[in-house]
Amino acid sequence: MAPVPSGVLGAVDPTSDRAVFRQIADQLREAIDRGRFKEGSKLPSEAELVEHFGVSRMTVRNSIGVLQGEGLISAEHGKGVFVRPRPPVRRLASDRFARRHRDQGKSAFIVEADAAGSRPEVDSLEVKEEKPSRDISARLGSPRKVLARRRRYLLDGRPVEFAVSYLPLDLARGTRIAEPNPGPGGIYARLEEAGHRLDHFDEEVRARMPSPGEAKMLRLASGVPVIHLVRTAYDTEGRAVEVCDTVMAADAYVLAYQLPAT
Amino acid sequence: MAPVPSGVLGAVDPTSDRAVFRQIADQLREAIDRGRFKEGSKLPSEAELVEHFGVSRMTVRNSIGVLQGEGLISAEHGKGVFVRPRPPVRRLASDRFARRHRDQGKSAFIVEADAAGSRPEVDSLEVKEEKPSRDISARLGSPRKVLARRRRYLLDGRPVEFAVSYLPLDLARGTRIAEPNPGPGGIYARLEEAGHRLDHFDEEVRARMPSPGEAKMLRLASGVPVIHLVRTAYDTEGRAVEVCDTVMAADAYVLAYQLPAT
DNA sequence: CAGTGGTCTAGACCACGTG
DNA sequence: ACGTGGTCTAGACCACTGA
């Protein structure tokens, strides 16, 4: 068993008021912050830390759990504990739905990822009619049924976002919007062709820890929150024509908005 | 010791592939979701769960840890484990910095909280000159020193937000902006009086788990992420005149934006 | 005071990943 | 086969809360 690199980690004081596992977590955190353990690199194994600090394994595991909860490290069964790499973030600009950005063939996600040198994928595509939740229904003006378009987005094989678009049935049924591939420019282009010129979008942004289902769908490490974004699209007559409910891996995104000062 | 209420929690299957502590976490999560344990109410004690499921205490504690990480429950030493109440959220609208909202005497935070029936407080107010971080410096056009205005916001005694405003020294030194109370309309009103008419704001929104210092400052329970918001204010000449760096308790906020469709 | 969660020990066996 | 983390036990003592 390799010893812990000398000088990187000190000793703990069992008589201190601060719990031993917190002292160990503090030392590891500081070592990571100072770059003594680099992004993606392996921390000393539990056994090595037990040896180094002279504590029981549960104490070491407890300290590792603290840093996992902070999103700093993640454990991989059979391999070790690693400093969590910060993945490249996708920047969502507030003008991303402007008409000029509607590409002829490809979706905004694909275009943008290609430009950034990432490999984009969309999977789990599912389109079906269903009864809306109370919340979605209220936002769309209480339709009895809606068309739901579900899909998951991945970058370089990593799932980063899961989104569901809801549209009132009278706008969607029988159009390309109800097909898996809605055609060039996406559903917004189809809505405008049908006479529903878009006026503006409302976006609501929340952050929270993922449900177990979301963590699985996005393959989230512990300590990674999600950004929950609900966007409502309005046409020029003030009618809500679409609600898009999106859950994003928070470590993969930064949202950018421009606000008028007037 | 009171028994676990009958019918609410079942049994675990030690031969299952799913770990026992996950099965217990699943059962507790489902009971909470179904409302069998209401918001703010106390869960069975660790000892009662040990008795009910016939497992060791560490197993029960492990399952409790899972739900804490999800932000569903929080433990209080000496009292018990409770279903985490969802605090009222503060909605930040994208027009919150419009001139018409600049109240004569009070800050936007105070006005809004009063209207919502909450008791607002601002503390830890600190104003000083300092050397900016690389990031802040870049956003402000690389000034050598800046004025930093730090403050913490509380609602009904609960800290919800910690904010730091940075301004280039040449705009702030010798003005009311450099005083703890910048006067009616706040620093934006002072900037405009000095001829820096505001044109727009850029906001960047991220979500992540808090650092230990942030968790302490905002008294965050485990399983509560923070929203990190960086806003840059530009005047009509395109100069960045202020950067505001804000860390918010994610369970206390929803951000609302309006985006043009053009 | 009794009851609660917080910390810690010293073991055990299992499941995963790699050589 | 071996080293890694994952799960689990059966205890112990401590610190906080409330009656």
Side-chain angles (χ1 to χ4, degrees):
Chain A
M1 186 174 70
V4 171
S6 78
V8 175
L9 300 176
V12 291
D13 171 13
T15 70
S16 161
D17 273 355
R18 187 142 181 93
V20 172
F21 77 89
R22 289 190 202 286
Q23 296 181 50
I24 296 177
D26 291 343
Q27 293 207 22
L28 290 170
R29 188 187 304 107
E30 189 177 327
I32 292 169
D33 287 346
R34 288 179 186 279
R36 322 293 250 128
F37 298 115
K38 298 194 183 47
E39 258 187 47
S41 72
K42 187 177 165 306
L43 258 51
S45 73
E46 294 180 355
E48 286 159 5
L49 292 172
V50 162
E51 170 83 6
H52 178 88
F53 289 110
V55 298
S56 81
R57 189 174 164 219
M58 281 312 295
T59 302
V60 162
R61 281 182 62 75
N62 214 339
S63 65
I64 288 173
V66 170
L67 299 184
Q68 279 195 87
E70 292 173 14
L72 278 182
I73 63 181
S74 69
E76 298 178 35
H77 197 170
K79 297 209 282 190
V81 177
F82 299 84
V83 180
R84 217 151 63 68
R86 322 288 171 63
V89 297
R90 196 162 98 87
R91 185 189 177 87
L92 295 189
S94 52
D95 68 348
R96 63 192 184 279
F97 298 114
R99 285 188 192 88
R100 67 180 176 284
H101 290 164
R102 272 176 220 149
D103 195 83
Q104 283 313 310
K106 304 185 260 183
S107 79
F109 179 79
I110 307 276
V111 171
E112 194 189 334
D114 281 343
S118 307
R119 180 173 54 84
E121 289 172 83
V122 180
D123 72 1
S124 311
L125 190 62
E126 182 190 84
V127 183
K128 62 184 228 257
E129 300 183 2
E130 55 188 53
K131 197 162 155 300
S133 70
R134 195 187 313 278
D135 176 60
I136 297 297
S137 177
R139 290 175 195 267
L140 283 176
S142 307
R144 275 183 32 261
K145 287 189 73 178
V146 295
L147 184 81
R149 297 179 52 90
R150 294 187 160 69
R151 67 278 187 194
R152 186 172 71 158
Y153 297 98
L154 303 89
L155 286 180
D156 298 321
R158 188 210 165 184
V160 291
E161 176 178 348
F162 183 75
V164 192
S165 282
Y166 300 94
L167 298 101
L169 264 195
D170 66 294
L171 296 185
R173 189 179 261 169
T175 74
R176 287 201 67 175
I177 293 172
E179 296 174 30
N181 178 0
I187 61 174
Y188 293 151
R190 295 296 86 67
L191 283 169
E192 296 212 316
E193 284 167 8
H196 297 277
R197 188 169 173 81
L198 296 181
D199 183 71
H200 68 279
F201 302 90
D202 278 350
E203 281 197 356
E204 288 186 358
V205 182
R206 292 175 177 76
R208 55 174 171 76
M209 292 314 282
S211 70
E214 291 165 342
K216 193 174 179 186
M217 177 81 80
L218 295 174
R219 289 207 291 271
L220 295 172
S222 63
V224 181
V226 293
I227 296 173
H228 185 176
L229 192 155
V230 180
R231 179 180 60 252
T232 308
Y234 294 90
D235 67 13
T236 49
E237 294 173 357
R239 178 180 181 188
V241 293
E242 185 228 20
V243 171
C244 184
D245 187 294
T246 302
V247 176
M248 297 177 283
D251 62 355
Y253 282 93
V254 46
L255 311 181
Y257 294 96
Q258 187 166 113
L259 323 180
T262 49
Chain B
M1 189 173 68
V4 172
S6 76
V8 175
L9 301 175
V12 290
D13 170 13
T15 71
S16 161
D17 272 354
R18 187 144 181 92
V20 173
F21 78 89
R22 290 191 200 285
Q23 296 181 49
I24 296 177
D26 291 343
Q27 293 207 20
L28 290 171
R29 188 187 304 107
E30 188 176 329
I32 291 168
D33 287 347
R34 288 179 185 278
R36 323 294 245 129
F37 298 114
K38 298 191 184 50
E39 256 186 49
S41 72
K42 187 177 165 305
L43 257 51
S45 73
E46 294 180 356
E48 286 160 4
L49 292 171
V50 162
E51 169 84 7
H52 178 88
F53 288 112
V55 297
S56 80
R57 189 173 162 218
M58 282 311 295
T59 302
V60 162
R61 281 183 62 76
N62 214 340
S63 65
I64 288 173
V66 169
L67 300 185
Q68 279 194 89
E70 292 173 15
L72 277 182
I73 63 182
S74 69
E76 298 180 35
H77 197 170
K79 298 209 278 192
V81 177
F82 299 84
V83 180
R84 217 150 63 71
R86 326 286 171 66
V89 297
R90 197 161 98 87
R91 186 188 176 88
L92 294 190
S94 52
D95 68 349
R96 64 192 183 281
F97 298 114
R99 288 191 190 85
R100 67 180 177 283
H101 289 164
R102 273 177 219 151
D103 195 83
Q104 283 313 309
K106 302 186 262 184
S107 79
F109 180 79
I110 306 277
V111 171
E112 196 189 331
D114 282 343
S118 307
R119 180 172 55 83
E121 289 171 84
V122 180
D123 71 3
S124 311
L125 190 62
E126 181 189 83
V127 183
K128 63 182 224 257
E129 300 183 3
E130 55 186 54
K131 195 163 157 301
S133 71
R134 195 187 313 277
D135 176 59
I136 297 296
S137 177
R139 290 175 195 266
L140 283 176
S142 307
R144 276 183 31 260
K145 287 189 73 179
V146 295
L147 184 82
R149 299 180 50 93
R150 297 188 158 70
R151 66 278 186 195
R152 186 172 70 159
Y153 296 98
L154 302 89
L155 285 181
D156 298 321
R158 188 210 163 185
V160 292
E161 178 178 346
F162 182 75
V164 191
S165 283
Y166 300 94
L167 298 102
L169 265 196
D170 66 292
L171 295 185
R173 189 179 261 169
T175 73
R176 287 202 67 176
I177 293 172
E179 296 174 31
N181 178 0
I187 62 173
Y188 292 151
R190 295 298 85 69
L191 284 169
E192 297 213 314
E193 285 167 7
H196 296 278
R197 189 168 173 83
L198 296 180
D199 184 71
H200 68 278
F201 302 91
D202 278 350
E203 281 197 354
E204 287 186 359
V205 181
R206 291 175 177 76
R208 54 174 171 75
M209 292 313 282
S211 71
E214 292 165 342
K216 194 174 178 187
M217 177 81 81
L218 296 174
R219 291 207 290 271
L220 296 173
S222 62
V224 181
V226 292
I227 295 173
H228 185 176
L229 192 155
V230 179
R231 180 180 58 252
T232 307
Y234 294 89
D235 67 14
T236 50
E237 294 172 0
R239 178 178 180 189
V241 293
E242 185 228 20
V243 172
C244 183
D245 186 296
T246 302
V247 176
M248 298 177 281
D251 62 354
Y253 282 92
V254 47
L255 310 182
Y257 295 96
Q258 187 166 115
L259 322 181
T262 48

